[in-house]
Amino acid sequence: MKRWSWALGLSAMCISLGALAQATGPRLLAQARAAAGGSAWDGVHGLQAEGRVDASALQGRWERREDLQRGRYLLRTDMGVFRTAEGDDGRGRWRQDPSGGVHRLNADFARQAAVTEAWLTRRGWLRAAADHAKVGEPQRRVDAGTTYDVVEVQPQGGQPVSLWFEAATHQLARTERTMPISVLTVRYADHRPVKGLWLPFSIESSDSGSSDVERVQVQQWRIQRPAARDFVQPPMPDDVVLYGDTTVPLEIDGWPVVRATLNGQDFDFILDTGGHNIITPAVAKALGLVPQGQGASGGAGAGETAQQYLRVQTVQIGKATLKDQHFYVLHFPYSTVERGSRPPVAGLLGLELFERFGIRLDYRARTLTLRKLAGYRHQGGGTAVPIAFDDDMPLLQGRINGQPGLLGLDTGNGGSTVIQHVWARAHGLAERMKREGIATVSYGAGGESRNWATRVGAIEIAGVTIARPVVRYAEDTAGSFSSRTEAANIGTELLSHFVLDFDYAKGVIWFEHQPGYEPRPFNRSGLRALKTTPEALEVMLVSPRSPAEAAGLARGDRILAVDGMPAREMSGRAFNHRLSEAVGTEVKLTVKRDNAERQVTLVLAEMLP
C-alpha cells in the first residue's frame, strides 16, 4: 500500500468531488509522487528507454535518454525512410530534421518551452515544492468516461503545462501545452513498476494542428546515470559537394523560383524559408520513386493535406550537389503549382537548403548564390539581424507602426506582409485594419485564409523603414497565420527591398537595402480568382462596391478567357498582374455561369489608395 501513503483520507479509487474541492495543487502532486513510487525516485539520476514507434503509417525504432537532475534529454526515432532527433544539451534545445540537418530552437517562446520540457524531464511534479514551479488549483474533469484531476503548473521561466492525473490511480495520464499555433498533447498509459518506479509503457503524442498521431510502445526502461555526451547536438551530415560558390538565376513571380536537378531531371522549385524540401506526387512519379507512409501536413489555412516521404539520390543546383536527400511528398492545391501553359512548379526547397549553405538572395538581380555553410563568412554589406527559431522558420525583431514584434521571414509568402491577430489585438490595430481594410482571401497548404488588405503606417526592419506598405490582417484560428507569438509573416513585397545573406550557422541574416523598389499596386478589380483547373479561373471573392461587382461577377463564376486569351494559357499570377494595371484599364473576360457564357468588361479602379 506504499503507493497510496500520501493519499487523502478517502480511498484513491473513490475520492469525492467534495474532497477534491478541499484538495490543493501541492497535495495532488503529493498523491502523484506516492503513486509514481515515492522515495524510490530518490537518488535516481537518469533513465533510458527503447521501444517501437508508429506514426504516419510507418513503424520504426524509438529511444529516449533523460537526465533527471538537469533536465537534459535525447529523443531519437528511426523510421527507415528517415531519422529524426531532438534534445537539450543543457544550453537549450536542438532539432535534427529528417534530412539530418540540425538547428537550435532558441527564440523566446522556444526557450520557455525548453524550461518546461526540462522540468517535465526532471519529473518536477514529483519533487519538493514542485521544483519551485507555480501550482494552480486542481479541477476535476471527465473525458471519454475517465475521471481526471487536472492542475496547471508553470515552472520558473517556463510555459504553463496542464497535468492530467487519473483520479483512480493518481498516475500522470496526460500533459497539454499551448504552442504558438497549436496545442501539444502527450498521453501516458500502461504504467508498470521498474525497480520501484512506476513508468509509462505507452506514450502517445498529438498536435492539434495535424491529425497525425505518434504512438510509442516502450519495450524497456532502464535506470542509468547519464553522460554529457548523450545529449550533444549532432554534427551536420557531410552530404554537400561544392567548391567555392555557385550563382544561379531566379524567376521572381511573387515568390522566388529556382531550377534544380533531381536524379538527372530538371524541375522548378519555390525557395521557401517557411517550408521544407517538398515535391508533388507527379514529380515523384516522374522520378520513378515510390513514396512511403501516410501523414498529414498543414500551412496557411485551417486544413491539412496528405503527406508522404521518400529520398532523392542527388539534388543539383548550379555547381552544388546534395546527396541522399529526404523529401516530403505533398498534394498541393492546383492553384499553388500551376503556371498556365508552362510546366507546374515541382514543390519547395526550404529549411534543408538553408541549413547547409550560406545563401545570398538578390531579388533585384534575380540571382541565388550558394556557398557551403561550414566555414562561411559574410563578405558583403548590409546590416546583420539576429535570427532565432521556435520551429523551422527564421524569426527576427522588427517594428510595425513603431510597435516591436517578432517577424517570421517567409520567402514562400509571395505577396504582402500578413499581420497576426493576437499581436494586432494586443497593440490595438485589429479593429482598425478590419474597418479600413478590404476583405479578401488567400490560399495555402491548409486551404482558405480569410483576411483584410489594408495599409499600415510603416514597417521597420534592419534599421530601414518601409512607409505605408500594403499588409493583410489575418484572423485565422488555426494554421500558420494564427500565431500567438509572432507579430507578422513577411514575404516578397517587403523582402524585395533588400539583398539577403542567410547564415543559419551563426544565427544571422544580413539585410542590404536596395532603394527604389516599387511593389505592384494592389488589385484594382475587387476580384479574387484562382486557377482551380487548367481550363478556367474560378471566382472566389467579389468585393463590395468594386469594378467586379459593377460588372455583375459573383463567387463561383468561371472565367474562360482574358482579353481573348484562353484561361488554359494564362496562370493565376499573370491574371492577378493584369488586375493591378493602371486605373481605367479595361479587362475583357469571357465568363461562364451555370451553362451560359457572357462577355464582361472590368474597368480597373483604385481600391486601396
Side-chain angles (χ1 to χ4, degrees), residues 46 51 108 134 161 364 516 530 599 601 607:
D108 288 346
K134 179 182 177 181
V161 55
R364 202 75 55 86
L530 288 183
Q599 301 301 310
T601 298
M607 296 291 297

Side-chain angles (χ1 to χ4, degrees), residues 424-496:
R425 288 174 182 169
H427 291 81
L429 292 178
E431 290 307 314
R432 183 187 67 77
M433 288 192 289
K434 285 180 66 174
R435 184 175 63 253
E436 299 177 1
I438 299 171
T440 184
V441 63
S442 58
Y443 294 85
E448 182 177 288
S449 172
R450 291 280 175 173
N451 43 73
W452 288 262
T454 186
R455 291 186 185 271
V456 294
I459 296 179
E460 181 182 334
I461 184 171
V464 176
T465 298
I466 310 300
R468 300 193 71 245
V470 173
V471 301
R472 289 170 287 152
Y473 165 64
E475 280 194 332
D476 294 3
T477 57
S480 58
F481 292 161
S482 65
S483 176
R484 301 175 181 90
T485 56
E486 295 172 29
N489 176 289
I490 58 175
T492 296
E493 287 193 7
L494 186 68
L495 298 177
S496 293

Side-chain angles (χ1 to χ4, degrees), residues 55-57 205-207 209-214 294-297 304 307 309:
S56 301
S205 301
S206 60
D207 189 295
S210 169
S211 60
D212 236 355
V213 178
E214 179 185 273
Q294 189 65 55
S297 177
E304 62 182 29
Q307 173 177 284
Y309 317 89

Side-chain angles (χ1 to χ4, degrees), residues 348-553:
L348 311 178
L349 295 177
L351 172 71
E352 296 84 349
L353 206 64
F354 289 85
E355 288 175 324
R356 288 163 170 79
F357 295 101
I359 292 180
R360 183 174 178 85
L361 173 56
D362 190 329
Y363 282 90
R364 202 75 55 86
R366 299 176 181 246
T367 58
L368 178 73
T369 300
L370 305 179
R371 298 178 178 87
K372 288 185 71 171
L373 196 52
Y376 168 73
R377 294 182 63 184
H378 172 73
Q379 296 178 351
T383 300
V385 177
I387 59 171
F389 295 86
D390 277 336
D391 194 1
D392 296 335
M393 181 188 297
L395 305 172
L396 53 95
Q397 290 292 328
R399 290 181 178 271
I400 302 171
N401 284 0
Q403 300 294 324
L406 193 63
L407 309 179
L409 192 155
D410 184 4
T411 59
N413 170 0
S416 55
T417 296
V418 180
I419 298 192
Q420 311 267 14
H421 69 92
V422 172
W423 182 90
R425 288 174 182 169
H427 291 81
L429 292 178
E431 290 307 314
R432 183 187 67 77
M433 288 192 289
K434 285 180 66 174
R435 184 175 63 253
E436 299 177 1
I438 299 171
T440 184
V441 63
S442 58
Y443 294 85
E448 182 177 288
S449 172
R450 291 280 175 173
N451 43 73
W452 288 262
T454 186
R455 291 186 185 271
V456 294
I459 296 179
E460 181 182 334
I461 184 171
V464 176
T465 298
I466 310 300
R468 300 193 71 245
V470 173
V471 301
R472 289 170 287 152
Y473 165 64
E475 280 194 332
D476 294 3
T477 57
S480 58
F481 292 161
S482 65
S483 176
R484 301 175 181 90
T485 56
E486 295 172 29
N489 176 289
I490 58 175
T492 296
E493 287 193 7
L494 186 68
L495 298 177
S496 293
H497 290 273
F498 302 92
V499 177
L500 304 174
D501 276 290
F502 297 83
D503 186 345
Y504 278 23
K506 294 184 178 64
V508 66
I509 298 175
W510 292 81
F511 286 76
E512 185 176 342
H513 185 223
Q514 300 285 295
Y517 170 71
E518 290 292 338
R520 288 183 182 273
F522 181 72
N523 184 310
R524 286 171 164 153
S525 70
L527 172 66
R528 182 75 167 105
L530 288 183
K531 195 82 173 290
T532 54
T533 65
E535 295 77 22
L537 292 130
E538 182 177 350
V539 175
M540 312 303 292
L541 181 85
V542 174
S543 298
R545 300 175 298 281
S546 69
E549 184 184 62
L553 291 169

Side-chain angles (χ1 to χ4, degrees), residues 66-407:
E66 300 179 333
D67 179 349
L68 300 191
Q69 303 303 308
R70 297 181 56 185
R72 297 177 297 181
Y73 76 95
L74 168 71
L75 176 63
R76 285 197 290 235
T77 63
D78 183 347
M79 309 302 292
V81 66
F82 64 82
R83 301 179 180 89
T84 63
E86 66 174 69
D88 188 326
D89 57 11
R91 298 184 296 114
R93 292 177 65 199
W94 53 264
R95 175 184 294 164
Q96 185 173 41
D97 61 64
S99 77
V102 187
H103 65 276
R104 287 272 169 182
L105 300 176
N106 54 0
D108 288 346
F109 175 84
R111 292 179 186 277
Q112 295 172 11
V115 170
T116 296
E117 188 71 39
W119 184 87
L120 291 168
T121 299
R122 292 195 306 272
R123 308 303 194 279
W125 70 93
L126 302 181
R127 295 171 174 263
D131 206 15
H132 309 292
K134 179 182 177 181
V135 180
E137 290 300 314
Q139 299 178 353
R140 176 147 288 184
R141 300 184 190 174
V142 177
D143 183 41
T146 301
T147 302
Y148 299 93
D149 297 331
V150 183
V151 62
E152 183 173 271
V153 179
Q154 184 168 12
Q156 285 187 345
Q159 66 169 149
V161 55
S162 292
L163 306 178
W164 293 56
F165 297 97
E166 193 170 336
T169 65
H170 302 312
Q171 290 171 337
L172 182 67
R174 185 188 312 181
T175 64
E176 288 185 355
R177 286 190 280 167
T178 299
M179 311 306 280
I181 62 172
S182 62
V183 175
L184 175 64
T185 301
V186 182
R187 301 172 189 269
Y188 305 94
D190 189 17
H191 291 77
R192 307 177 199 170
V194 178
K195 295 187 177 180
L197 311 179
W198 283 79
L199 297 170
F201 278 72
S202 174
I203 304 171
E204 179 181 293
S205 301
S206 60
D207 189 295
S208 63
S210 169
S211 60
D212 236 355
V213 178
E214 179 185 273
R215 296 180 175 87
V216 172
Q217 188 62 45
V218 179
Q219 295 169 327
Q220 182 181 38
W221 281 99
R222 293 200 302 270
I223 297 174
Q224 183 169 315
R225 183 181 291 270
R229 64 178 179 273
D230 293 339
F231 313 105
V232 172
Q233 175 179 317
M236 287 290 299
D238 183 17
D239 56 5
V240 172
V241 178
L242 175 61
Y243 302 100
D245 60 44
T246 185
T247 298
V248 296
L250 289 176
E251 177 183 335
I252 306 291
D253 187 13
W255 45 57
V257 175
V258 62
R259 175 65 55 89
T261 304
L262 276 59
N263 292 356
Q265 297 188 47
D266 291 341
F267 302 95
D268 288 339
F269 287 88
I270 299 167
L271 184 68
D272 186 5
T273 53
H276 284 268
N277 284 357
I278 300 171
I279 58 174
T280 65
V283 172
K285 183 177 181 180
L287 293 171
L289 300 175
V290 179
Q292 299 183 43
Q294 189 65 55
S297 177
E304 62 182 29
T305 186
Q307 173 177 284
Q308 294 180 286
Y309 317 89
L310 55 71
R311 303 195 77 84
V312 174
Q313 186 176 359
T314 60
V315 178
Q316 293 176 284
I317 303 172
K319 296 182 292 185
T321 300
L322 298 94
K323 300 174 291 184
D324 188 26
Q325 293 299 295
H326 172 269
F327 274 75
Y328 297 92
V329 181
L330 262 65
H331 294 263
F332 286 106
Y334 179 76
S335 59
T336 299
V337 298
E338 66 85 21
R339 295 192 293 176
S341 59
R342 302 171 59 195
V345 293
L348 311 178
L349 295 177
L351 172 71
E352 296 84 349
L353 206 64
F354 289 85
E355 288 175 324
R356 288 163 170 79
F357 295 101
I359 292 180
R360 183 174 178 85
L361 173 56
D362 190 329
Y363 282 90
R364 202 75 55 86
R366 299 176 181 246
T367 58
L368 178 73
T369 300
L370 305 179
R371 298 178 178 87
K372 288 185 71 171
L373 196 52
Y376 168 73
R377 294 182 63 184
H378 172 73
Q379 296 178 351
T383 300
V385 177
I387 59 171
F389 295 86
D390 277 336
D391 194 1
D392 296 335
M393 181 188 297
L395 305 172
L396 53 95
Q397 290 292 328
R399 290 181 178 271
I400 302 171
N401 284 0
Q403 300 294 324
L406 193 63
L407 309 179

